[in-house]
Amino acid sequence: MKPRLFILLTTALVIPATADQPTDPPLDESLEDAETIDGNATTWVPRLYGDYAFLFHNTEYDDPPAPRSDERSYLRQTIELGALWEFSSGIELRAGLELEHDIADTLDSFEPTWDSFQLHPRLRLRWDWGWGALTVGHLDPTPHPRTLHTAPYDQPPAGLALTGDFPWLDWELWAARTSRVSEDSKETFLAAGRVAPSLHFGGTPPVEISLPLRFAYSHAGGYDTADYQCYSPPDGVRKEELWNLSSGIGVCVELVRFSMAVETGLVFEPQPPYYGVVYADIDLEGPWWSLGLELGIIDDGFRVVRPRPDLIVPRPLLESTGADTGRRFDQLSLNAGLHYSLEPLTVWADLRWTNTGAIDAAGDRGSYSLAQTLIIVLGAEVSF
């Protein structure tokens, strides 16, 4: 057979056999599309993310019996830039830097200074497998304000968190270190958790009944290490541990234009003499607004891991004896909030008023006011 005829016959047989076979992706195809197998992206190429936030937080007390360290203003702006990796198996990694500008502190000096600017690393790894998620790095916890509170101007704690959600149960467990040991500061570890079984009832309107159980724990110390055994802690206490437990019952009703949640329960120290707080909360929440009413009766001597500052009973002598004096305090808080989100912009405004009174031991004159607190929070955030 002639060579030319042999080449033509071979080409005619090979082309039909290979017409339906898959081919390699073109060289100009994106890396993400080229590394996609059965619809699951396996790319390692990150995308850029960023957040800009502005915050104004002001706390004012009306004639407190003693000066309060939290009676001040926080005015700051932050911008965070970084890389975001999103993997097909529900794993997300954020790594970036946040530049913080504390505007309020710049007013302490009449000369220009860069001391009010700080640079913070931000690292967060999250694995979400559907009904639960594990987070390692900088956390965004949602603790209970009467046991463990994180203010909006605090730096995010670094640790790990485990969250989950079933139709009949949800939970959040986390632990973090918030400060290290030094000559003038203790090493502080915080841990908190919430487990809330619930029952759902259909109908109009739908109703949910939950039995939340919360705990909070703090450990402050570190002076038993070799490098700091020769130092004395600033408060004279080398090691301190504190527990709080909270249990109660909550009812949530989903109405047409808003939802209403009512919860009552007890917060206490799980060791004698079991001082605590009896509380009742009522919250109304709409699509862009919220209203709340909080009531509490507090035993004198009750210690809280890290409560919301306006829920701390003021001490006339700037000290807490930790002993039972037979006195009790009542607290009434009114909350109102406006929250509006229009991607990528989110703005919010919160107003909170709290009145703290001492219940008369005789029981025939009601209570008298010790301090009134007004807290105003304004914030805005843009994400991309």
Side-chain angles (χ1 to χ4, degrees), residues 186-199:
K186 294 182 178 181
E187 183 180 41
T188 305
F189 289 91
L190 296 177
R194 173 184 55 84
V195 179
S198 59
L199 295 175

Side-chain angles (χ1 to χ4, degrees), residues 112 120 171 209 249 251 311 370:
H120 309 286
W171 68 89
I209 299 178
I249 182 171
V251 179
L311 296 180
L370 287 178

Side-chain angles (χ1 to χ4, degrees), residues 142-155:
T142 56
H144 194 271
R146 288 193 177 272
T147 57
L148 189 58
H149 173 67
T150 57
Y153 48 80
D154 286 340
Q155 292 296 320

Side-chain angles (χ1 to χ4, degrees), residues 179 186-189 217-223 235 237-242:
S179 66
K186 294 182 178 181
E187 183 180 41
T188 305
F189 289 91
Y217 167 77
S218 67
H219 169 89
Y223 289 93
D235 57 358
V237 180
R238 301 189 68 86
K239 179 182 178 181
E240 183 179 15
E241 292 182 313
L242 184 60

